[in-house]
Amino acid sequence: MNEAGKKVAFYTLGCKLNFSETATISRSFENEGFDRVDFTDEADIYVINTCSVTENADKRFKTIVKQAQKINPDAFVAAVGCYAQLKPEELADVDGVDLVLGATEKFKITDYLNDLSKNDMGEVHSCEIEDADFYVGSYSIGDRTRAFLKVQDGCDYKCTYCTIPLARGISRSDTLENVLKNAKEISEKGIREIVLTGVNIGDYGKGEFGNKKHEHTFLDLVKAIDQIEGIERLRISSIEPNLLKNETIQVVAESRAFVPHFHIPLQSGNNELLGKMSRRYKRELYVDRVQEIKRLMPDACIGVDVIVGFPGETDEHFLDTYTFLNELDISYLHVFTYSERDNTKAANMNGVVPLKTRKKRSKMLRGLSAKKRRAFYESQLGTDRTVLFEGENKKGYIHGFTENYVKVKTPWDPALINTTHQINLSDIDEDGLVRFEYASEPEIA
């Protein structure tokens, strides 16, 4: 299909799941004989994997199309992903866009590229989201250190602020056999850490056979993947509190490779707002999960997603959330400022919070996050840990993460890339990162 030397470039907006899917799409191009180049280089095709979660992602899309056109005005530009599923016509109208593929079509993109001549109008292939009922497994190797392995897609939850079920369809999973096969492939590439990703990962097992039949659960997956040799670290990307069972916490605590790091969305610390959001738990359950993790793994790192400025959030509601998080034994926050999304229930709710107030609340919680992270790092000083070093030279330093997600730094040495070492955490630098002593001198060439 490909004339000699055709080049393709990719740009990914949004979540880790999108990055793993871009990697899979990229491999399909390479199988057709395309050469993958950087997005800043001249290419014949530019593929933009879009996101619909934040207002910013929508706006950035246009900027990225312009960037591609500037490099090569004759290039073929394709948009895929969540925003492409939700608002295909809107993306097709963007000047320079030739092809828009929705949820089911994005993995078959090379089938649509027989003719790479520019279109006067963006051509749309977007399914009814009900058709997105099959599963495409994927993984991405973001750097030489870790890989994101997708195990589940879609969501059956109907949170009132969220467009993901509209963009990705029903909850469905990869087969356990395929997940383990992908994990083995990754480990054979010398990658030391695998991050399990999905839209609603705790729902794993559902839709494994293209219907709602369940043979395996997330707990089965965790137990099975922990047995694969050659993977030093396994990390769970993000899991709903009501789907994080005590048995799973127990398995992680006793496991060979799973690290003591959890990211658990909360969204609000106020039960009334959790109800309005259609979340499937109350804050008391969240407290139970945090306490169980800390009981079994006192040094575990716990990250929290929280939304500020949801319709109807009063000062009292916000302070309720702030106090709740302040008193909870967690390690950092990911703060999202609520933004209205079309076709969601929340967009039509009363009690719209002024943007200025949303920003102020967001700033307060970001401040709390910095305080929490600092306190967590301080609690780890003097402890022995294992660090896995990353691959980038950042202002003369190399960074790495301990198993419990403490970010450390040491002067740049390329020999350290993708190596693990026993260290003792010594002090916190002025930039907030942690310095350390080696437990024994690193054996590196």
Side-chain angles (χ1 to χ4, degrees):
M1 185 200 83
N2 184 27
E3 298 152 39
K6 283 273 189 217
K7 292 175 182 168
V8 63
F10 296 88
Y11 197 106
T12 307
L13 291 157
C15 63
K16 289 169 182 167
L17 190 57
N18 269 7
F19 279 90
S20 74
E21 291 179 348
T22 297
T24 298
I25 294 165
S26 145
R27 285 193 282 275
S28 71
F29 272 94
E30 285 159 20
N31 293 340
E32 296 284 357
F34 281 82
D35 296 320
R36 181 173 179 173
V37 297
D38 195 78
F39 203 82
T40 52
D41 295 337
E42 188 169 329
D44 301 284
I45 303 178
Y46 291 92
V47 179
I48 304 164
N49 194 353
T50 62
C51 166
S52 69
V53 172
T54 62
E55 203 69 56
N56 247 358
D58 304 359
K59 291 179 186 141
R60 281 184 62 198
F61 175 75
K62 289 178 183 169
T63 313
I64 295 154
V65 173
K66 276 186 189 148
Q67 192 184 324
Q69 284 192 295
K70 207 170 180 180
I71 302 164
N72 180 5
D74 299 322
F76 190 88
V77 178
V80 301
C82 290
Y83 193 36
Q85 174 64 36
L86 287 175
K87 301 205 171 168
E89 309 296 340
E90 203 170 291
L91 290 194
D93 284 345
V94 172
D95 197 28
V97 173
D98 300 292
L99 180 66
V100 179
L101 297 181
T104 61
E105 292 80 18
K106 62 188 170 192
F107 295 107
K108 300 178 273 188
I109 182 169
T110 52
D111 299 349
Y112 292 99
L113 299 178
N114 297 323
D115 169 22
L116 290 186
S117 55
K118 294 287 285 175
N119 294 328
D120 292 336
M121 275 295 292
E123 189 183 319
V124 174
H125 298 273
S126 160
C127 65
E128 288 302 313
I129 197 62
E130 287 74 23
D131 299 339
D133 58 359
F134 60 90
Y135 184 86
V136 177
S138 56
Y139 62 84
S140 81
I141 295 165
D143 50 36
R144 286 160 51 188
T145 323
R146 70 172 57 81
F148 299 105
L149 172 57
K150 172 184 163 187
V151 301
Q152 183 275 342
D153 200 350
C155 188
D156 292 343
Y157 288 8
K158 299 284 188 287
C159 299
T160 54
Y161 51 81
C162 185
T163 56
I164 285 172
L166 300 171
R168 285 187 170 269
I170 58 171
S171 179
R172 54 210 189 274
S173 310
D174 206 348
T175 61
L176 188 58
E177 184 188 12
N178 200 46
V179 170
L180 299 179
K181 179 180 83 66
N182 282 339
K184 283 193 185 93
E185 275 179 27
I186 293 166
S187 73
E188 283 159 10
K189 290 179 164 67
I191 284 157
R192 293 170 182 259
E193 181 176 311
I194 291 179
V195 185
L196 300 178
T197 65
V199 171
N200 188 356
I201 196 173
D203 213 21
Y204 174 81
K206 201 185 272 186
E208 208 181 340
F209 305 101
N211 52 29
K212 292 297 175 194
K213 258 176 72 184
H214 246 284
E215 187 176 316
H216 298 106
T217 63
F218 185 63
L219 181 63
D220 296 332
L221 168 66
V222 167
K223 286 177 177 171
I225 204 166
D226 194 39
Q227 302 306 311
I228 292 178
E229 285 175 27
I231 303 168
E232 282 188 40
R233 284 185 179 182
L234 286 160
R235 203 180 291 275
I236 299 166
S237 62
S238 176
I239 183 164
E240 292 283 303
N242 53 308
L243 295 173
L244 177 57
K245 305 296 184 203
N246 284 346
E247 295 88 340
T248 307
I249 296 170
Q250 183 86 40
V251 169
V252 169
E254 295 167 359
S255 93
R256 179 193 65 80
F258 274 95
V259 294
H261 174 212
F262 292 86
H263 194 93
I264 314 167
L266 169 69
Q267 311 311 12
S268 174
N270 176 272
N271 281 340
E272 189 190 331
L273 280 186
L274 286 174
K276 279 186 148 189
M277 292 173 169
S278 291
R279 301 293 285 160
R280 298 192 176 197
Y281 53 87
K282 290 197 159 55
R283 72 188 210 164
E284 288 75 12
L285 176 124
Y286 199 92
V287 173
D288 285 349
R289 294 296 176 268
V290 169
Q291 287 175 346
E292 183 64 7
I293 290 166
K294 287 293 187 174
R295 184 178 75 79
L296 294 172
M297 295 166 271
D299 292 318
C301 177
I302 301 175
V304 183
D305 285 344
V306 62
I307 295 170
V308 296
F310 187 79
E313 184 184 61
T314 62
D315 286 345
E316 288 74 22
H317 290 140
F318 173 70
L319 287 172
D320 206 15
T321 295
Y322 188 94
T323 309
F324 178 73
L325 289 166
N326 192 32
E327 290 169 359
L328 207 55
D329 192 1
I330 49 129
S331 318
Y332 64 91
L333 306 173
H334 278 174
V335 184
F336 297 90
T337 305
Y338 173 76
S339 65
E340 286 77 3
R341 318 306 291 154
D342 288 349
N343 302 316
T344 58
K345 280 187 179 173
N348 300 315
M349 284 182 182
N350 296 328
V352 173
V353 177
L355 281 175
K356 198 174 165 187
T357 308
R358 295 183 210 183
K359 284 181 180 159
K360 187 178 139 197
R361 289 175 185 170
S362 175
K363 198 174 173 186
M364 279 178 74
L365 282 184
R366 286 177 211 277
L368 178 62
S369 179
K371 191 178 97 170
K372 286 282 184 185
R373 194 186 297 270
R374 176 88 189 190
F376 176 63
Y377 282 6
E378 282 174 357
S379 77
Q380 296 304 299
L381 295 180
T383 63
D384 293 327
R385 295 283 161 231
T386 306
V387 63
L388 170 58
F389 285 108
E390 311 266 302
E392 249 182 290
N393 182 340
K394 296 192 174 173
K395 298 180 180 171
Y397 288 92
I398 187 169
H399 294 168
F401 285 96
T402 64
E403 64 275 34
N404 62 340
Y405 217 55
V406 173
K407 194 172 186 181
V408 305
K409 64 187 276 197
T410 198
W412 170 254
D413 178 350
L416 289 172
I417 293 171
N418 197 30
T419 60
T420 51
H421 300 278
Q422 300 303 309
I423 60 170
N424 182 275
L425 302 177
S426 54
D427 56 282
I428 300 176
D429 219 348
E430 62 271 11
D431 61 2
L433 303 188
V434 180
R435 296 290 203 139
F436 60 86
E437 308 289 336
Y438 287 104
S440 57
E441 277 308 304
E443 292 173 32
I444 45 180

